[in-house]
Amino acid sequence: MEIPFLDLREQHQSIESEVFDAIHRVYEKTAFAGGPFVEEFEENFARFCGTKHAIGVGSGTDALWLVLLALGVKPGDEVITVPNTFIATVEAISLCGATPVFIDAEPVTYTMDPEKIELAITSRTKAIIPVHLYGQMADMDPIMAVAKRHNIPVLEDAAQAHGSDYQGKRAGSFGIAACYSFYPGKNLGACGEAGAIVTNDDNLADVVKKLRDHGQQKKYYHSIVGTNGRMDGIQGAVLNVKLKYIEEWNNQRIAHAALYHELLSGCEKVVLPKTAEGRTHIFHLFVVLNENRDSFIEELANKDVKCGIHYPISVHLQDAYKHLSYKKGDFPVAEMNADRCVSLPMFPELRREQVETVVKSII
Ligand SMILES: *Cc1c(COP(=O)(O)O)cnc(C)c1O
């Protein structure tokens, strides 16, 4: 029996009638774009994150882009982020016409290295985007300390960190805002595309709400240039159902991670992921390192164990960012991670025997 890297079926079968009922209510109300189901989700999700506001949008990419727009990021500006992320983090900067400025990750958690920030700051730096990678938050205290010293807003990319925390607080409580994705494969996934912005800043919340709705002050009165970035009613309703289970699902992931750690301790084939002091890890991905990554993955696939790679090419070396003229060797930690990372099967419904089979195959 093949062990998939990710299986969404079992989870959706287990809540199928509840989800179908929710979709049916949207259908009866014809509340398809924004509307009461999205508002209900926004309230619940803000409470889950411990923030004042949550604003539902069309995707995680939109969430990042709209916050940067709201912060006034424009052509000529620079935004600091890491190159070892999903490309959307960087695209959001480019969509504003601004220039991404990369700094390396630190070698324990592979999140932004706070010590690299100061050297990258110029008079054009308009924002800093740390990424809460694989389910673990970046080192927010020192990141916020540098940002405050230079008076630069921090936007947290929390697309992989639903329910993860740092010193007991969740993403969005540190920076001016945090952005979430509800892409189906994320820890909290919609039945389609969706995202959200969470913030404690009333003014930012107001501007982002306008931006996602064509800059409307009220219907057909447009005070700023915006876009169509609303969340679908159906996705809001689905997410309202799924939010009730997220803690349980995260705990299942955490238990699988503990079992991987237990069974793989002392195994020299892989370097196991580490959780830093004061942080929780909700294991969106369980990423190990192996020096011969490609053959390692192929051998596991031959044993019917399917793995993922997050991500094989650091963003600074992607063709799409050739014009920035970065080269191999610029960010050794990010590049080492890209060369060696392997995402082992990880999803809440994974069974103990499956984890054991993965480990046996590795050994
Ligand atoms: C998934 C993801 C995004 C983009 O979210 P979408 O909803 O797919 O647009 C952004 N940043 C990171 C780190 C992600 O993992």
Side-chain angles (χ1 to χ4, degrees):
M1 270 278 280
E2 180 180 296
I3 302 175
F5 158 66
L6 170 66
D7 182 355
L8 296 175
R9 253 170 322 176
E10 197 175 317
Q11 176 168 105
H12 289 90
Q13 276 162 5
S14 76
I15 54 170
E16 182 175 300
S17 62
E18 233 183 318
V19 169
F20 280 19
D21 283 349
I23 293 174
H24 195 226
R25 281 196 296 279
V26 180
Y27 199 86
E28 279 174 337
K29 276 211 157 179
T30 64
F32 296 126
F37 298 97
V38 171
E39 281 164 26
E40 189 187 340
F41 173 67
E42 288 173 336
E43 228 166 82
N44 293 333
F45 193 64
R47 195 172 319 118
F48 173 75
C49 295
T51 54
K52 211 165 153 191
H53 307 278
I55 300 123
V57 293
S59 68
T61 309
D62 271 2
L64 291 159
W65 175 46
L66 295 184
V67 173
L68 291 177
L69 283 179
L71 293 173
V73 174
K74 57 182 187 315
D77 292 342
E78 294 172 356
V79 176
I80 296 172
T81 192
V82 284
N84 60 319
T85 181
F86 181 58
I87 197 164
T89 317
V90 189
E91 283 174 324
I93 300 166
S94 304
L95 284 169
C96 297
T99 305
V101 173
F102 295 118
I103 59 174
D104 211 354
E106 50 88 359
V108 176
T109 64
Y110 297 99
T111 56
M112 177 178 275
D113 185 345
E115 296 193 355
K116 300 271 168 26
I117 298 172
E118 200 132 45
L119 266 176
I121 292 175
T122 72
S123 58
R124 290 191 292 244
T125 308
K126 288 295 150 59
I128 300 168
I129 313 183
V131 178
H132 302 325
L133 196 70
Y134 303 153
Q136 172 166 220
M137 285 178 64
D139 198 0
M140 292 312 293
D141 280 349
I143 291 172
M144 291 311 299
V146 186
K148 281 194 176 126
R149 220 162 37 241
H150 292 269
N151 203 17
I152 298 169
V154 172
L155 165 55
E156 303 171 59
D157 185 339
Q160 303 186 358
H162 316 72
S164 163
D165 58 38
Y166 179 97
Q167 317 284 12
K169 287 198 297 179
R170 290 190 175 155
S173 312
F174 297 89
I176 187 149
C179 293
Y180 285 89
S181 163
F182 307 116
Y183 178 77
K186 300 288 160 82
N187 284 36
L188 180 61
C191 293
E193 305 278 356
I197 294 138
V198 300
T199 182
N200 289 320
D201 188 298
D202 298 336
N203 183 48
L204 184 83
D206 273 355
V207 178
V208 165
K209 274 185 199 162
K210 266 195 227 165
L211 285 171
R212 76 165 169 189
D213 197 21
H214 303 291
Q216 289 194 115
Q217 191 80 40
K218 55 179 185 176
K219 203 163 175 72
Y220 302 129
Y221 289 79
H222 308 268
S223 56
I224 51 176
V225 178
T227 183
N228 176 359
R230 295 177 300 254
M231 182 188 276
D232 285 351
I234 285 178
Q235 302 313 336
V238 168
L239 288 166
N240 261 319
V241 171
K242 294 186 74 178
L243 184 59
K244 290 189 287 187
Y245 300 98
I246 182 71
E247 306 270 12
E248 183 186 327
W249 289 332
N250 279 348
N251 286 335
Q252 289 171 310
R253 287 173 184 269
I254 291 166
H256 302 323
L259 187 56
Y260 272 132
H261 268 282
E262 181 194 323
L263 301 177
L264 283 168
S265 78
C267 170
E268 282 171 6
K269 297 240 166 65
V270 291
V271 177
L272 293 166
K274 294 180 194 70
T275 305
E277 182 89 27
R279 292 183 239 182
T280 59
H281 200 318
I282 47 97
F283 293 100
H284 170 56
L285 298 166
F286 190 88
V287 178
V288 300
L289 305 183
N290 177 280
E291 287 186 34
N292 302 304
R293 192 260 314 283
D294 294 341
S295 55
F296 179 84
I297 286 185
E298 202 183 305
E299 282 177 58
L300 285 178
N302 291 339
K303 295 179 192 294
D304 280 336
V305 173
K306 304 291 182 200
C307 297
I309 306 177
H310 301 85
Y311 300 89
I313 301 176
S314 185
V315 180
H316 72 286
L317 300 175
Q318 293 282 0
D319 282 348
Y321 285 103
K322 260 202 301 240
H323 58 283
L324 297 178
S325 305
Y326 286 105
K327 55 188 189 313
K328 214 169 165 55
D330 283 346
F331 306 108
V333 177
E335 289 169 30
M336 190 275 272
N337 186 255
D339 289 343
R340 298 185 186 177
C341 65
V342 180
S343 305
L344 300 184
M346 175 54 83
F347 50 95
E349 297 72 22
L350 203 59
R351 286 183 296 282
R352 186 183 175 97
E353 312 83 73
Q354 292 179 304
V355 174
E356 287 167 352
T357 303
V358 175
V359 170
K360 242 182 256 152
S361 309
I362 290 172
I363 290 170

